[in-house]
Amino acid sequence: MSKNIVNKIDGDVKIKRALISVSDKTGLDTFIPGLVEACPEIVIYSTGGTFGKIKEILGAKAEKHLIQVSDYTGQPETQGGLVKTLDFRIYLGLLTETYNASHQEDLKRTASYPIDMVIVNLYPFKETVAKEGISPEKARSEVDIGGPCMLRASAKNFIRVASVVNPSDYSMLLSELKKNGGALPLSVRYELAKKTFSHTAEYDSAISEYLSKTSFEQVAACYGLEG
């Protein structure tokens, strides 16, 4: 099957739907109210602790603006948050292209919606393994799966989607959204995509480095097996 080649996009994209799932909740108290002010009709999809934090911030406005990812996908989160966002409707919303008729039909067929912005920061793997006495099992549990997938999908589709990995960009985003009537220009989406791929590359490198320094004997001992 030949890959679709895009030759028409929108320079500015209105932020109507955002997916937010962050381990670092720094700045949300200011960013979320500012996002709703700049984009009065925005719908925010969220998970777990992030959902609870945003609900607290929005108060009475949460009913209008906030939806739990599991309510949207129809799939409850698995025990311990093992699977939350790895869902067909989520990735259809991230990867579809505005002027691709087949993509738009797929959205209609599955009752899905395009997602215009993803705000994700990853499980703190590097910070965790830097601590003394961290077991291979504890390190393994800090390997984020859904976060990098969402970030890579949104950054790949920078022609329509904004991918955000760092709370330090919240102020810039609010400024751009207010300046552009709730839209983000291609220049901003492209810069965010570059940051995103650098971030996920560094994340994978940290995992690879940890594994390379951890012997099989340490792993086997962690699980009560002989090396």
Side-chain angles (χ1 to χ4, degrees):
M1 182 182 295
S2 61
K3 290 181 173 64
N4 179 61
I5 301 299
V6 176
N7 53 32
K8 180 182 180 182
I9 68 169
D10 294 320
D12 291 349
V13 173
K14 285 268 189 182
I15 305 300
K16 299 176 182 178
R17 295 179 182 84
L19 196 157
I20 305 178
S21 180
V22 292
S23 56
D24 179 1
K25 296 171 180 58
T26 303
L28 287 184
D29 288 331
T30 301
F31 178 69
I32 295 298
L35 180 62
V36 170
E37 180 183 354
C39 309
E41 301 304 315
I42 194 168
V43 173
I44 299 170
Y45 302 102
S46 193
T47 63
T50 307
F51 176 87
K53 178 65 174 178
I54 296 175
K55 185 176 181 180
E56 176 188 318
I57 293 169
L58 288 177
K61 293 181 179 180
E63 187 173 349
K64 175 181 178 181
H65 295 288
L66 184 63
I67 296 176
Q68 194 138 245
V69 165
S70 57
D71 290 337
Y72 172 62
T73 63
Q75 298 294 332
E77 292 183 15
T78 58
Q79 188 273 334
L82 186 67
V83 179
K84 295 182 285 189
T85 55
L86 292 165
D87 184 89
F88 186 84
R89 295 180 74 195
I90 295 294
Y91 287 89
L92 199 59
L94 294 176
L95 291 166
T96 49
E97 297 151 9
T98 302
Y99 297 101
N100 185 310
S102 296
H103 289 186
Q104 298 308 309
E105 283 299 317
D106 285 335
L107 288 170
K108 291 178 183 177
R109 174 177 59 82
T110 58
S112 302
Y113 298 98
I115 297 170
D116 311 302
M117 181 163 66
V118 167
I119 301 176
V120 168
N121 44 63
L122 308 176
Y123 295 167
F125 181 87
K126 191 172 184 179
E127 294 79 1
T128 296
V129 299
K131 298 174 184 175
E132 285 290 329
I134 294 298
S135 69
E137 172 56 19
K138 178 58 179 174
R140 188 189 72 86
S141 72
E142 292 294 336
V143 175
D144 200 322
I145 302 300
C149 289
M150 286 191 293
L151 286 174
R152 287 176 60 82
S154 55
K156 174 182 178 177
N157 204 20
F158 66 82
I159 58 174
R160 185 182 60 74
V161 185
S163 57
V164 184
V165 296
N166 198 321
S168 66
D169 284 322
Y170 290 170
S171 178
M172 176 276 293
L173 286 168
L174 292 181
S175 176
E176 289 289 341
L177 288 167
K178 290 172 182 176
K179 181 172 66 176
N180 297 293
L184 289 177
L186 177 61
S187 59
V188 169
R189 302 194 306 273
Y190 185 57
E191 288 303 312
L192 290 170
K194 290 195 286 185
K195 290 183 180 182
T196 295
F197 280 116
S198 291
H199 184 67
T200 56
E202 290 169 7
Y203 193 78
D204 283 343
S205 291
I207 296 169
S208 177
E209 182 179 354
Y210 171 80
L211 293 176
S212 69
K213 291 179 178 178
T214 303
S215 69
F216 173 70
E217 289 72 21
Q218 289 174 282
V219 173
C222 177
Y223 299 106
L225 302 173
E226 293 184 7

